[in-house]
Amino acid sequence: MSTATSGTRAATQDPPATPPPARRVPWARLPGTTLIWLFVAFCAFAFLFMLLSSLKSSFNVLNHPFRLPTELKFSNWSKAWHDGGFGPAFVNSVLVVAIAATGTVLIASPAAYVLGRNQGRVSGGVSLYFVLGLGIPMQIIVLPLYSIMAKLHLIDNLAGLIVLYIVVNLPFTVYLLMSFFATLPGELEEAAALDGVGPAMTFWRIMLPLAKGGLVTALILVAISCWNETFLALMFLQTNDNFTLPLALVNFLTQQQFTGEDFGVMFAGVSIAVLPMLALYAWLGRRITEGLTLGAGK
Amino acid sequence: MTSATLGARRGRVQGSPLARRRRRVFGPFLAPALILYTVLFMVPTVYSFYASFTSWDGFSDPRWKGTFNYQHLTRDPAFKDAFFNTLKLLFGCGIFLFVLSFAFMLLLREMKGRRFIQGFIFLPHIVSGVALAAFWGFLLSHDGMANKALNSVGVGPVDWLKPEWQFKAILVAIVWINVGYYVTILMAGVDRIPPYYYEEAKLAGTNAWQRFRHITLPMSWDVIGTAAVLWTIGTVKIFEFILAFSGSQGNLPTTNQWTSALYVYGETIGGTSPIYDFGRACAGAVVTLFAVVLVVVVLRRATSRDRLEL
């Protein structure tokens, strides 16, 4: 089922789904509603706290955690960026995420196209083979991969990590795009075939533009998962120069016990890791939630 | 679909020029993804099974040792901790998470700002677990916010992070991070229930509880089942939150907070003095995988049977 249809379906269902409010006893749900608002408030507090604390002095973060910043300490950010290692880590993360996400979608979309639009037994079997990967936890593949990457001298190498990110995101991306391609109308493809356009050209010029929505969703979801990925990064990267943001953050958190705690700088680092995701979510929130929950709609 | 119609349809597709042309690109289009996935995903999976029967440091060739690693696991306190903690997350956290998510979902359906709230509580799911761990750690630390808040109402500092409580603090955080995600999944499922079911039930004079019991619940078994499978697969991935929350000074968290993923990391290259016991770690991962498969199969069975009860 495509994200588009489920979206419109939910929208058209909304009006009859809301019951006439007059027949309900409002206070019966009050405890539950209060609990939800408390939960929302806690989430809001958590994120506001992380962002605002990045502009406060360590003393104020510790002693007046609930107060708004009195002065805006942007020096926290420059300290985190230059001394805390978050600057180079940010650059690494952007690089890894951009290449890995693009690469994943580039490799997954032709495969998803032929799997999504062919009905044969082979196609079904291969689809199932990809879906199998969704259930295999990372820890089962990581050690043989470590050995392979060590032999190829790709340990502590960002290119090596990018290849791994592409591989581990393939099952989900193929699955997502497959269901997307399957819902596209067949007429254009047939028309192109009648006009003598080759199958590769049909895919590139006709089907890919049609699937743009799905491709963008896939791109964003892979980017989010790579941006936050820690386990593989920790297994395969070793030197600080190569660290991605989650590693820089782990590193900073664990070093702090030695160097004395500077909470302002710590939360500046946290904000550097969190803010791009918040911005992306504010911009494309619906697409992200629908893409991430798509698998459950089956 | 019967085999006859399937065959007829395949016959038609095979005959059409479009399908023939598409079959020509089938191989080349599929090859890059299929090869990468096979070589760097499925082969390592299979190799892990083999390696779990060997003594292996990840660099030299593995030496066959039969079931030694598995026998060792049964006596390894670190593995027992990791395994039971994973089960605690899976079931303890899971039941709490699902009851809470389902309740939130039902309440949200009748609230005004439902889309906004739903989007908002989804947030923790898409940010780094390490960042959330930094916040969580600061919240619960000795002079952290929770104690500051308690202090202002005259309650003395609580030692939230004492060893017996630390893993519980992790469990609560995992619920917090995941509620929004599962609310959204469950909501999508319940949204698909045709509204006229409720209308007819109302005409028949049912009350809210009866409608919940006889429409909402049975009609959502499907999506609950899928969500439970997602949760099962998701639990064994939980790693960085615990590492960042409980690890310190380059050391790993103590083993009583390990999970399956931490065990694999800790038994191989993790920590200040790595062990490089790849064989044993593979055995641990294989046991985890089997546990996951078992739970998924049982869940599928349970939810698909109950769904018919309508």
Side-chain angles (χ1 to χ4, degrees):
Chain A
M1 184 167 309
S2 83
T3 50
T5 56
S6 68
T8 49
R9 189 111 61 78
T12 51
Q13 261 184 27
D14 258 355
T18 34
R23 300 197 29 197
R24 300 261 165 178
V25 195
W27 47 262
R29 290 196 308 270
L30 197 63
T33 315
T34 316
L35 190 66
I36 288 191
W37 281 114
L38 279 176
F39 191 80
V40 171
F42 181 74
C43 288
F45 166 71
F47 285 96
L48 280 177
F49 177 83
M50 290 187 241
L51 298 178
L52 290 177
S53 296
S54 73
L55 296 169
K56 289 158 76 167
S57 68
S58 188
F59 177 84
N60 278 336
V61 176
L62 192 60
N63 292 299
H64 308 292
F66 300 111
R67 266 188 219 165
L68 289 173
T70 43
E71 90 276 50
L72 298 182
K73 255 190 109 187
F74 286 105
S75 63
N76 285 340
W77 281 68
S78 69
K79 229 181 190 171
W81 189 269
H82 297 292
D83 308 333
F86 290 104
F90 182 82
V91 176
N92 287 341
S93 271
V94 169
L95 198 76
V96 168
V97 166
I99 302 176
T102 324
T104 309
V105 173
L106 272 182
I107 294 171
S109 52
Y113 166 68
V114 290
L115 291 177
R117 299 199 71 84
N118 281 307
Q119 311 273 345
R121 203 178 291 152
V122 180
S123 163
V126 178
S127 310
L128 199 67
Y129 176 66
F130 273 108
V131 170
L132 207 61
L134 289 173
I136 296 177
M138 216 57 73
Q139 52 263 44
I140 203 119
I141 63 168
V142 75
L143 299 175
L145 278 180
Y146 189 86
S147 174
I148 294 172
M149 296 309 257
K151 289 206 173 77
L152 297 172
H153 301 287
L154 285 176
I155 301 281
D156 199 23
N157 181 311
L158 286 179
L161 190 68
I162 290 171
V163 172
L164 294 182
Y165 278 179
I166 291 177
V167 169
V168 300
N169 280 298
L170 273 181
F172 174 73
T173 314
V174 168
Y175 171 68
L176 181 82
L177 290 177
M178 209 166 64
S179 46
F180 203 83
F181 277 117
T183 58
L184 292 181
E187 288 85 359
L188 281 168
E189 226 182 348
E190 280 160 27
L194 288 177
D195 281 349
V197 183
M201 217 32 156
T202 309
F203 168 68
W204 186 250
R205 302 294 287 271
I206 297 170
M207 296 316 271
L208 267 194
L210 278 179
K212 214 171 93 189
L215 297 180
V216 173
T217 303
L219 198 72
I220 296 163
L221 296 184
V222 177
I224 292 175
S225 96
C226 293
W227 183 266
N228 296 327
E229 207 289 329
T230 317
F231 184 58
L232 289 178
L234 204 59
M235 288 294 290
F236 288 95
L237 299 178
Q238 290 166 342
T239 47
N240 291 14
D241 293 343
N242 282 330
F243 278 4
T244 53
L245 273 175
L247 291 200
L249 200 52
V250 170
N251 201 29
F252 189 87
L253 292 177
T254 53
Q255 297 267 302
Q256 254 201 160
Q257 281 112 344
F258 286 127
T259 54
E261 305 182 312
D262 191 335
F263 292 112
V265 178
M266 176 176 105
F267 282 110
V270 166
S271 299
I272 292 173
V274 164
L275 212 50
M277 291 300 102
L278 294 190
L280 198 64
Y281 189 70
W283 181 33
L284 298 162
R286 254 324 255 294
R287 204 189 269 271
I288 294 170
T289 49
E290 275 174 4
L292 277 176
T293 51
L294 176 77
K298 302 252 151 188
Chain B
M1 191 175 299
T2 66
S3 59
T5 58
L6 197 77
R9 204 179 46 151
R10 252 216 322 278
R12 188 178 60 78
V13 170
Q14 267 166 0
S16 85
L18 177 64
R20 241 180 297 128
R21 293 151 58 84
R22 218 194 264 135
R23 248 199 325 277
R24 233 178 327 132
V25 292
F26 191 81
F29 271 33
L30 200 57
L34 195 61
I35 292 170
L36 256 184
Y37 173 65
T38 302
V39 173
L40 292 178
F41 202 110
M42 286 325 240
V43 170
T45 304
V46 175
Y47 195 86
S48 257
F49 281 87
Y50 162 70
S52 68
F53 293 103
T54 66
S55 158
W56 186 35
D57 62 4
F59 298 96
S60 42
D61 290 333
R63 275 178 294 112
W64 186 262
K65 277 183 68 187
T67 56
F68 176 82
N69 286 324
Y70 289 97
Q71 287 166 22
H72 182 93
L73 286 185
T74 60
R75 295 184 306 261
D76 184 357
F79 179 74
K80 279 185 196 155
D81 281 343
F83 191 75
F84 286 115
N85 280 341
T86 307
L87 291 184
K88 262 186 220 163
L89 279 164
L90 179 54
F91 294 111
C93 232
I95 289 166
F96 193 66
L97 175 68
F98 272 66
V99 170
L100 197 65
S101 301
F102 208 82
F104 272 23
M105 184 270 297
L106 290 175
L107 286 161
L108 268 177
R109 281 171 66 77
E110 306 190 350
M111 280 171 73
K112 277 256 167 58
R114 115 178 202 190
R115 294 262 166 232
F116 170 77
I117 297 175
Q118 203 185 318
F120 203 83
I121 61 178
F122 196 87
L123 261 181
H125 192 76
I126 58 151
V127 302
S128 163
V130 182
L132 296 174
F135 168 75
W136 202 248
F138 187 78
L139 180 74
L140 298 179
S141 65
H142 180 71
D143 19 62
M145 285 174 285
N147 281 336
K148 285 264 157 46
L150 284 180
N151 191 32
S152 66
V153 291
V155 180
V158 177
D159 187 7
W160 302 100
L161 297 181
K162 61 180 165 193
E164 317 89 88
W165 284 12
Q166 201 160 4
F167 194 72
K168 294 196 176 75
I170 292 170
L171 294 177
V172 174
I174 298 292
V175 171
W176 169 52
I177 295 170
N178 284 290
V179 163
Y181 180 61
Y182 288 96
V183 165
T184 308
I185 290 178
L186 295 175
M187 181 84 84
V190 173
D191 274 344
R192 274 196 297 269
I193 301 175
Y196 59 79
Y197 280 32
Y198 291 99
E199 283 150 24
E200 265 170 38
K202 259 182 215 164
L203 289 177
T206 53
N207 60 31
W209 164 252
Q210 286 169 322
R211 284 195 296 276
F212 168 75
R213 174 67 190 82
H214 296 288
I215 302 174
T216 313
L217 201 57
M219 293 289 282
S220 357
W221 264 128
D222 219 10
V223 73
I224 293 175
T226 319
V229 170
L230 283 177
W231 170 245
T232 308
I233 296 168
T235 1
V236 291
K237 290 184 186 151
I238 292 171
F239 173 77
E240 67 262 32
F241 186 90
I242 299 177
L243 180 84
F245 182 70
S246 305
S248 62
Q249 304 180 1
N251 288 314
L252 293 172
T254 47
T255 58
N256 62 3
Q257 295 175 57
W258 280 17
T259 55
S260 163
L262 265 156
Y263 181 79
V264 169
Y265 180 62
E267 290 297 310
T268 53
I269 67 163
T272 40
S273 49
I275 303 172
Y276 290 106
D277 198 337
F278 277 48
R280 192 197 300 169
C282 279
V286 168
V287 172
T288 311
L289 179 66
F290 273 115
V292 168
V293 170
L294 185 72
V295 173
V296 167
V297 168
V298 169
L299 277 173
R300 278 266 166 237
R301 276 276 166 84
T303 49
S304 67
R305 195 179 47 229
D306 283 23
R307 199 184 41 190
L308 300 173
E309 188 187 279
L310 185 67

